[in-house]
Amino acid sequence: FHSGEREEKCLIEDVPSDTLVIGNYKVQQWDIRKQDFLESAPGLGMFVTVTTPSAEVLLKKLYGPQATFSFTSYISGEHVICLQSNSTSLVAFAGSKLRIHLDIRVGEHFLDEAIAQAKDKVNEVNFRMEHLIEQIQHISKEQNYEREREENFRKISEQTNSNILWWAIVQTLILISIGIWQIKSLKDFFIAKKLV
């Protein structure tokens, strides 16, 4: 994505509890002379801020133009990941554009192929089995988290439907009572004017 030099960009990532999140990014800066983005942005870093669903700051750190950051969520919900350059230009003069390549992986544990090849076949199979078990545990956590969210959604929907039903009943009672009142008022009016 593209960003202004002093602009903060935020992403929302829905993460289950006790889950590792790994983010990689690379920043390229616009070069006016070449009319293209430079491969690297020397001297330019990024402030990475991660906020939990309860608005608690989980990570706030300055990294270089290309870096990897990681954090582990301790509560489930929408975590906000914000990136902002450490440019010292004043807002009025910070007209340069940045291109940010961002890759976020949630709950993944990657195999290190060099370590796996260095071990013999039995250890390699054991290593891959442990990796698969970790992935199964992660999938199980995510399913439980989605189940919780669905249950909360269903409760809210049922409560809303119940409120709508009661509101319809109250409206009907109000309309009936206004109708009865109008009929009685008209009858009293006609009797008072001796039209009936």
Side-chain angles (χ1 to χ4, degrees):
F1 59 88
H2 289 186
S3 172
E5 193 172 340
R6 300 274 298 167
E7 186 179 0
E8 181 179 45
K9 291 282 188 169
C10 295
L11 300 145
I12 297 174
E13 193 68 39
D14 204 358
V15 182
S17 63
D18 297 324
T19 302
L20 176 68
V21 178
I22 300 170
N24 293 316
Y25 73 85
K26 178 177 146 185
V27 179
Q28 295 176 312
Q29 192 169 20
W30 179 256
D31 188 4
I32 297 172
R33 284 175 255 124
K34 293 182 181 178
Q35 291 294 309
D36 196 13
F37 287 95
L38 297 173
E39 263 316 299
S40 65
L44 193 65
M46 296 296 279
F47 283 105
V48 178
T49 307
V50 178
T51 310
T52 64
S54 59
E56 182 182 334
V57 176
L58 194 60
L59 171 72
K60 184 170 187 156
K61 193 171 178 184
L62 174 64
Y63 293 94
Q66 183 171 354
T68 300
F69 62 91
S70 64
F71 64 92
T72 303
S73 64
Y74 64 91
I75 59 172
S76 56
E78 294 180 342
H79 289 67
V80 180
I81 302 169
C82 295
L83 299 165
Q84 182 180 19
S85 72
N86 67 339
S87 173
T88 56
S89 302
L90 294 174
V91 174
F93 301 110
S96 182
K97 290 190 294 186
L98 301 176
R99 179 185 287 166
I100 302 169
H101 302 272
L102 179 64
D103 179 31
I104 296 177
R105 294 181 305 270
V106 178
E108 291 191 18
H109 300 280
F110 295 98
L111 291 172
D112 188 353
E113 293 297 329
I115 294 173
Q117 289 175 356
K119 298 178 184 264
D120 61 354
K121 290 290 181 187
V122 174
N123 287 341
E124 183 178 340
V125 169
N126 187 26
F127 182 68
R128 288 187 185 275
M129 285 294 291
E130 288 175 4
H131 178 72
L132 288 173
I133 290 170
E134 283 181 7
Q135 284 183 330
I136 290 169
Q137 289 172 343
H138 171 69
I139 290 169
S140 175
K141 274 189 213 172
E142 254 195 61
Q143 285 178 335
N144 289 337
Y145 175 61
E146 291 300 325
R147 205 172 287 123
E148 284 176 25
R149 286 188 61 183
E150 185 207 346
E151 187 177 319
N152 288 340
F153 179 75
R154 189 173 50 247
K155 284 179 185 175
I156 291 170
S157 296
E158 288 173 358
Q159 183 180 8
T160 304
N161 288 340
S162 173
N163 290 343
I164 289 171
L165 175 68
W166 283 111
W167 179 244
I169 291 170
V170 167
Q171 279 183 326
T172 305
L173 292 174
I174 290 172
L175 287 174
I176 289 172
S177 61
I178 288 174
I180 292 171
W181 176 76
Q182 282 181 335
I183 291 172
K184 185 180 178 318
S185 296
L186 282 173
K187 184 178 176 188
D188 291 344
F189 174 76
F190 288 139
I191 290 173
K193 295 292 183 180
K194 297 183 182 179
L195 296 173
V196 178

